[in-house]
Amino acid sequence: MQERAERTRKALLMAAATVFDRLGYDRTTLAGISEAASVSRGALSFHFSSKSALADNVQILACASSRARLEALKGRNVPALQTVIDMTHSAAEQLAEDPVTRASMRLAVERGTPHDPAVHCMAVWCDVFRDAVQHAAADRSLRSGLVVRTVVRLALALVRDAYDAQRHEESPREWLTQVWGMILPSLAEEGCARRLHADGDLPPSGRGDGHGGGQRNDEECSRTHCR
């Protein structure tokens, strides 16, 4: 019984995210969500008391998922600037492919959500990117003298623009790869830029096999004073 209730709750959240993503908060109705989830209005009311409660839960779910996805990229044997690159690819991919994340971003704007990492995906990305950029400054993969806050804002802008590229039928990954390829010489410590992967160096949970490349970058960068 409990498992069935949990499946119903998840179905309602996914349906709500899909409808919020497509129609926005004001045009979405509880009837539309229950129909999309193939769940009765009574069952919907049992799990969520209002449209506002559904929107809250969609935003909370997206934030938790976003943080877990990006945090999983930390702690690898790669220069921290590579982690920043990888995080932009991962966040852009999530935004392009996940209706929950897209819905949460739209809801944050339409509902005037506070810049709180618990309910605002952009705040989550800001927090995690800031930590990664600070580590890049510390391990000297980021060029000295650059302002952490500025690099964080650049990373966030790249994620947003990659999603816009996808909306115009461009590949977010290819777009990000091209842009990172252009700007890395200005961001990376001398001798590091050519050893970083502009197209991302994600582990198996992110993209590709992820074997070898990150460790190679780290060893080579350490020999050229990136660490």
Side-chain angles (χ1 to χ4, degrees):
M1 188 70 174
Q2 187 175 356
E3 291 181 3
R4 180 180 178 184
E6 184 60 26
R7 286 197 301 270
T8 300
R9 188 178 187 278
K10 289 181 179 179
L12 285 166
L13 281 174
M14 289 303 301
T18 300
V19 179
F20 282 136
D21 178 36
R22 187 175 73 250
L23 300 179
Y25 184 75
D26 288 340
R27 293 173 58 201
T28 294
T29 64
L30 292 177
I33 293 172
S34 63
E35 181 179 353
S38 299
V39 171
S40 70
R41 284 290 303 275
L44 187 155
S45 299
F46 174 79
H47 289 279
F48 300 100
S49 59
S50 64
K51 182 171 72 170
S52 178
L54 266 166
D56 289 343
N57 278 271
V58 167
Q59 290 180 254
I60 291 169
L61 177 62
C63 288
S65 173
S66 294
R67 183 173 294 279
R69 183 175 175 129
L70 295 185
E71 292 284 355
L73 297 176
K74 293 182 177 180
R76 298 172 298 144
N77 190 25
V78 297
L81 186 54
Q82 182 67 59
T83 299
V84 175
I85 296 168
D86 298 346
M87 285 178 172
T88 63
H89 279 287
S90 182
E93 182 179 86
Q94 184 176 9
L95 191 56
E97 297 179 355
D98 180 26
V100 176
T101 304
R102 289 197 304 274
S104 75
M105 296 291 284
R106 181 168 184 171
L107 289 169
V109 173
E110 295 181 355
R111 304 176 78 204
T113 303
H115 198 70
D116 178 349
V119 290
H120 200 310
C121 272
M122 191 60 70
V124 173
W125 292 339
C126 186
D127 279 358
V128 181
F129 284 167
R130 183 187 301 112
D131 184 62
V133 174
Q134 288 172 340
H135 276 84
D139 77 1
R140 297 181 62 197
S141 53
L142 181 69
R143 186 181 295 272
S144 62
L146 295 180
V147 178
V148 168
R149 180 176 63 254
T150 302
V151 179
V152 172
R153 289 176 175 172
L154 172 62
L156 292 172
L158 291 181
V159 172
R160 290 191 297 262
D161 288 350
Y163 176 58
D164 286 339
Q166 186 265 342
R167 294 170 62 188
H168 292 90
E169 299 184 350
E170 296 181 59
S171 163
R173 179 162 298 282
E174 291 178 5
W175 187 90
L176 275 172
T177 299
Q178 291 176 9
V179 176
W180 275 118
M182 290 187 290
I183 66 178
L184 270 176
S186 299
L187 295 179
E189 190 60 69
E190 186 176 358
C192 259
R194 68 181 180 274
R195 296 181 173 89
L196 297 173
H197 294 178
D199 64 344
D201 186 25
L202 305 183
S205 59
R207 179 188 61 85
D209 60 20
H211 294 306
Q215 186 171 356
R216 181 179 64 253
N217 285 350
D218 195 52
E219 292 170 351
E220 291 177 350
C221 281
S222 68
R223 291 199 294 270
T224 55
H225 307 292
C226 285
R227 300 287 292 174

